[in-house]
Amino acid sequence: MRFVTALIAAFAVAGPAALLAPPIAAQATGDLARVQQHLRSVESMTATFTQADRGGQVLTGTLTLKKPGKIRFQYQKGVPILLVSDGRALWFIDYSVKQVQGFPIKNSPLGVLLDPTRDISRYARIVPGDGRVLSVETNDPKHPEYGKITLVFARDAAAPAGLSLQGWVALDSQGNRTTIRLTNQRFNTPVSDGTFRWNDPRKGQQRN
């Protein structure tokens, strides 16, 4: 499904900083450890997002994340869809047709953002680029059906572990690509568990 996939590393800026980078192997090892530290340091996050798929459709909305396992993509007014994980499963709800689809969060590329216990060194690699922007590609070679996600970070001394998540590119097993860009990021602010409840259009009931 397009709304769960793909994220593009379009945030890199060429410049002289790249000439000052340490040797690639050492830099990659240190950067991957920094990303791991960031993912484990972030307990919650809110942001404004812009989503684009390969067909050119662009949607906006608000992202709310809380670990472990909770995330909500609240789309702009007039878009009758919701993508939300309640900590147990990731749900895609289309209120216009009263359709609900759910699957384990671990089977989604988004799982890397939501499980603080994951050791990303086993399945992630640094994508070479400008030293001021850090891109990390993650996928499980044992489960290609889960898809692939490339996380994009800006180096920011004020953010957790010195990194600020700028977005990602998700690519599913069918080749569907979705790009997410984030703005107005806020890390480790209080987030209520009630944020991740949703109304089931099939029954008119709220899901906890």
Side-chain angles (χ1 to χ4, degrees):
M1 93 184 35
R2 291 181 179 177
F3 299 101
V4 187
T5 52
L7 180 335
I8 193 165
F11 305 91
V13 179
L19 302 177
L20 305 177
I24 292 176
Q27 179 188 11
T29 300
D31 283 342
L32 197 56
R34 178 70 62 85
V35 171
Q36 181 81 80
Q37 183 183 359
H38 170 88
L39 293 174
R40 290 178 174 173
S41 299
V42 174
E43 298 180 358
S44 67
M45 182 181 72
T46 60
T48 301
F49 72 86
T50 300
Q51 171 185 298
D53 64 25
R54 67 177 186 176
Q57 182 183 31
V58 177
L59 299 174
T60 61
T62 301
L63 167 68
T64 307
L65 177 153
K66 184 178 182 179
K67 296 179 182 176
K70 297 182 177 70
I71 195 167
R72 183 184 184 103
F73 291 83
Q74 184 67 55
Y75 288 88
Q76 65 199 55
K77 186 177 181 180
V79 177
I81 58 175
L82 176 66
L83 183 64
V84 60
S85 172
D86 54 14
R88 297 185 294 270
L90 185 65
W91 300 95
F92 176 76
I93 306 103
D94 187 335
Y95 289 100
S96 65
V97 294
K98 298 183 178 181
Q99 182 179 12
V100 176
Q101 294 176 284
F103 50 92
I105 187 64
K106 67 179 182 179
N107 294 0
S108 162
L110 292 174
V112 68
L113 293 174
L114 301 178
D115 184 356
T117 67
R118 281 194 179 187
D119 179 5
I120 66 169
S121 65
R122 294 169 42 243
Y123 54 87
R125 71 178 187 91
I126 298 296
V127 180
D130 186 279
R132 292 167 294 184
V133 176
L134 184 57
S135 300
V136 184
E137 180 184 280
T138 72
N139 69 296
D140 187 343
K142 295 182 179 179
H143 296 281
E145 70 275 15
Y146 293 173
K148 179 186 299 184
I149 188 168
T150 301
L151 305 174
V152 182
F153 299 89
R155 298 183 189 275
D156 180 353
L163 297 175
S164 178
L165 182 63
Q166 301 296 292
W168 60 86
V169 178
L171 189 68
D172 71 11
S173 57
Q174 285 75 47
N176 295 311
R177 179 185 296 269
T178 303
T179 301
I180 301 291
R181 295 172 183 254
L182 303 179
T183 57
N184 304 317
Q185 299 93 321
R186 298 183 64 192
F187 299 100
N188 296 330
T189 58
V191 174
S192 168
D193 287 337
T195 303
F196 308 97
R197 296 175 182 154
W198 52 278
N199 293 319
D200 191 331
R202 300 166 300 180
K203 302 177 180 179
Q205 296 178 348
Q206 188 178 70
R207 291 294 298 261
N208 296 316

